[in-house]
Amino acid sequence: MTVFDPGLPFGAGLPGVADFRLFDAPGAADPGAPSLGSSLKVEAGDLVIDELTGGPAQVRGRDALVQALVLAVETQSGSDRLNTEFGFDRLAVGRYALGVPARKEYLRMQLVRSLSADRRVRDVREVFFEDDPRFSELRPGLDEAARQRIAEAARSRRGYTAYAVIETVAGSTLTFESGGRLD
């Protein structure tokens, strides 16, 4: 995981739909803050075995939250038989939203719904895309020509990276990054 510092540039690449990263904002969380929990470790949908104990490996704290948020966004809404509301409805983007602005707004709403469903997320403060003015505000070293090139490249490829700024119950601020095509 990479540390996200709002004063420094962060990746402007266009990851695939399944490429999600979480960046921790600078500053340590309050040691008396609520726990971010623990869970069994999963990689590519499979449980990971702890080599030392032979039992299932675990993740704790921020890593447990990262894993849960990635799972929530990678799971198609309605595909979990026990919780049909769980997940991210990416299929409806092509079904209902007409035009790129409407699709981006739908993605914003789906990200907020999916990420805020986790009880460890206190607030989803904002969701923005790399061609939005907010992207440039968080990259003060980016000149206008470079900002225009990034925005135009995203529009011409119809590939967008969305950033969701999240506040956790532990008091830390995280930026969740995901990307894909808006066809």
Side-chain angles (χ1 to χ4, degrees):
M1 293 298 148
T2 307
V3 174
F4 170 71
D5 180 345
L8 299 175
F10 52 89
L14 295 172
V17 170
D19 184 15
F20 300 98
R21 289 173 272 180
L22 206 58
F23 302 96
D24 229 345
D30 177 13
S35 168
L36 294 179
S38 64
S39 183
L40 296 177
K41 185 173 184 176
V42 178
E43 286 181 6
D46 296 325
L47 289 175
V48 175
I49 302 300
D50 186 333
E51 294 178 10
L52 296 176
T53 66
Q58 293 187 353
V59 290
R60 299 185 192 292
R62 187 175 76 75
D63 292 336
L65 177 59
V66 168
Q67 180 175 283
L69 294 178
V70 168
L71 182 63
V73 173
E74 287 184 345
T75 301
Q76 173 60 36
S77 180
S79 67
D80 185 326
R81 293 180 186 191
L82 299 176
N83 183 359
T84 58
E85 296 296 315
F86 179 78
F88 184 88
D89 191 6
R90 79 175 44 87
L91 295 179
V93 171
R95 190 176 318 137
Y96 301 117
L98 302 174
V100 172
R103 290 175 186 206
K104 286 171 62 177
E105 191 59 35
Y106 185 82
L107 287 174
R108 275 188 186 94
M109 292 186 309
Q110 279 297 309
L111 278 171
V112 169
R113 185 192 62 76
S114 298
L115 298 174
S116 64
D118 194 300
R119 294 184 306 184
R120 296 167 288 187
V121 174
R122 179 177 291 149
D123 186 26
V124 179
R125 291 185 180 172
E126 62 182 317
V127 176
F128 57 93
F129 294 86
E130 61 199 349
D131 63 338
D132 292 340
R134 182 69 173 133
F135 178 80
S136 300
E137 291 171 13
L138 294 175
R139 299 186 69 193
L142 192 64
D143 65 11
E144 183 61 25
R147 187 189 72 73
Q148 288 292 340
R149 281 193 307 274
I150 291 169
E152 196 54 43
R155 289 184 195 117
S156 66
R157 284 191 309 266
R158 296 178 62 98
Y160 289 85
T161 301
Y163 300 91
V165 179
I166 301 164
E167 181 182 344
T168 70
V169 295
S172 59
T173 301
L174 306 169
T175 300
F176 186 80
E177 176 184 344
S178 68
R181 288 183 53 85
L182 290 179
D183 288 331

